[in-house]
Amino acid sequence: MIASGSRALAALVLVALLSACATSPTGRPQLQFMPDAQIRSMGVEAYREMQDAEPVLEAGPRVARVECVAEAIIPQVPDEYAGNGWEVTVFESDQVNAFALPGGKIGVYTGLLEVTENSDQLAAVIAHEIAHVMAEHANERMSTEMATALGLGALQVAAGDDPQRRRMMAVLGVGAQVGIILPFSRTHESEADEIGLGLMADAGFDPRASVALWRNMADAGDEAPPEFLSTHPSGETRIADLRAELPTAIYRYEQARAAGRRPDCAS
């Protein structure tokens, strides 16, 4: 009975894996179980809850600056990823953070505006967050966790009541967290950096500002855990990756400026 249950769960995992293949904007294979409409609905609902629960800055120069940067970047989102009703909210908070949710909902915390020294740096953050939505990282994240849970469930059934084997399964659960889920998060961050760098450049923001931005972010943050236990690449890794992408991004930036895309957002 245990063996048949294990086989059934394993078969379920296999079917899910085979039927949920997708590709990110960079060409990376992805696992996506969730319907797009459901993911967008969840993003919009979460956004509305945050607007109700957290102080919102309605107007003023900080709001104008954020809106100006976002409005310059959003038209550069390729048509196949542009089907979102983009909306920007500035939250009054000391958090040095920003986010974008499925459904095209962008949030920027005023604490971030104290760290970004100019509109180019702010553009690097907003473009990075929009890139997460373009690449459907929320769907992939949820799908990866679901597949991991299903796979570990099948192994748990196989372990039965043997205490030693169950301890091994517990260790394997930690291994899955470090070996599968966290690296996927780091992959998402690195991919969003790459996509976002191109977006900000196409909008006419200087992509070289991204390197200075992440130095500022590192100075503003607490001591980071080792990279292999973190959901984000280390600052050194992130900056090295950005530098590697800069030649292409600078070319796109120069092309955008030549085409007249020169956003004038208050710094």
Side-chain angles (χ1 to χ4, degrees):
M1 188 59 129
I2 290 175
S4 66
S6 176
R7 284 195 296 270
L9 277 170
L12 179 59
V13 173
L14 180 60
V15 169
L17 290 171
L18 292 175
S19 63
C21 294
T23 304
S24 78
T26 64
R28 180 178 57 82
Q30 293 178 292
L31 191 66
Q32 293 185 6
F33 295 154
M34 306 293 291
D36 289 343
Q38 183 177 357
I39 290 289
R40 286 195 296 270
S41 177
M42 291 168 65
V44 172
E45 181 179 357
Y47 193 67
R48 298 298 176 226
E49 289 177 357
M50 292 179 70
Q51 288 176 317
D52 290 339
E54 301 187 24
V56 172
L57 195 62
E58 299 287 355
R62 290 179 294 178
V63 174
R65 177 185 168 200
V66 171
E67 290 179 343
C68 176
V69 171
E71 288 168 2
I73 294 171
I74 288 167
Q76 305 311 314
V77 176
D79 290 343
E80 62 266 36
Y81 306 111
N84 292 287
W86 295 101
E87 179 180 353
V88 184
T89 298
V90 179
F91 294 97
E92 185 74 67
S93 169
D94 291 337
Q95 289 189 57
V96 181
N97 206 359
F99 63 86
L101 296 173
K105 307 307 177 187
I106 302 167
V108 175
Y109 293 92
T110 53
L112 178 69
L113 303 180
E114 303 302 317
V115 176
T116 51
E117 297 171 340
N118 51 54
S119 295
D120 291 318
Q121 290 187 13
L122 179 59
V125 180
I126 292 176
H128 171 95
E129 298 304 330
I130 290 173
H132 278 304
V133 176
M134 284 175 53
E136 300 185 68
H137 286 157
N139 194 332
E140 185 178 9
R141 172 75 174 177
M142 293 179 67
S143 299
T144 300
E145 292 187 352
M146 288 172 60
T148 302
L150 284 170
L152 292 177
L155 291 172
Q156 190 70 44
V157 170
D161 295 325
D162 185 329
Q164 185 173 350
R165 294 187 71 192
R166 294 183 76 85
R167 282 195 297 273
M168 181 184 71
M169 293 302 105
V171 172
L172 184 57
V174 174
Q177 175 72 12
V178 173
I180 300 173
I181 295 174
L182 292 183
F184 261 86
S185 296
R186 292 195 296 272
T187 297
H188 291 172
E189 290 300 318
S190 297
E191 188 169 54
D193 279 348
E194 178 182 348
I195 297 168
L197 202 64
L199 276 180
M200 69 177 293
D202 290 343
F205 294 104
D206 190 341
R208 287 166 289 208
S210 62
V211 174
L213 163 74
W214 293 116
R215 288 203 183 102
N216 294 350
M217 294 287 277
D219 292 342
D222 297 327
E223 184 177 352
E227 183 172 357
F228 75 96
L229 289 175
S230 172
T231 59
H232 290 61
S234 70
E236 293 80 6
T237 299
R238 176 166 249 155
I239 288 171
D241 290 345
L242 286 167
R243 286 190 181 279
E245 297 291 334
L246 276 181
T248 300
I250 290 170
Y251 174 78
R252 291 169 66 168
Y253 166 66
E254 291 173 346
Q255 293 293 105
R257 302 286 282 188
R261 292 193 291 276
R262 299 169 176 265
D264 183 16
C265 303
S267 298

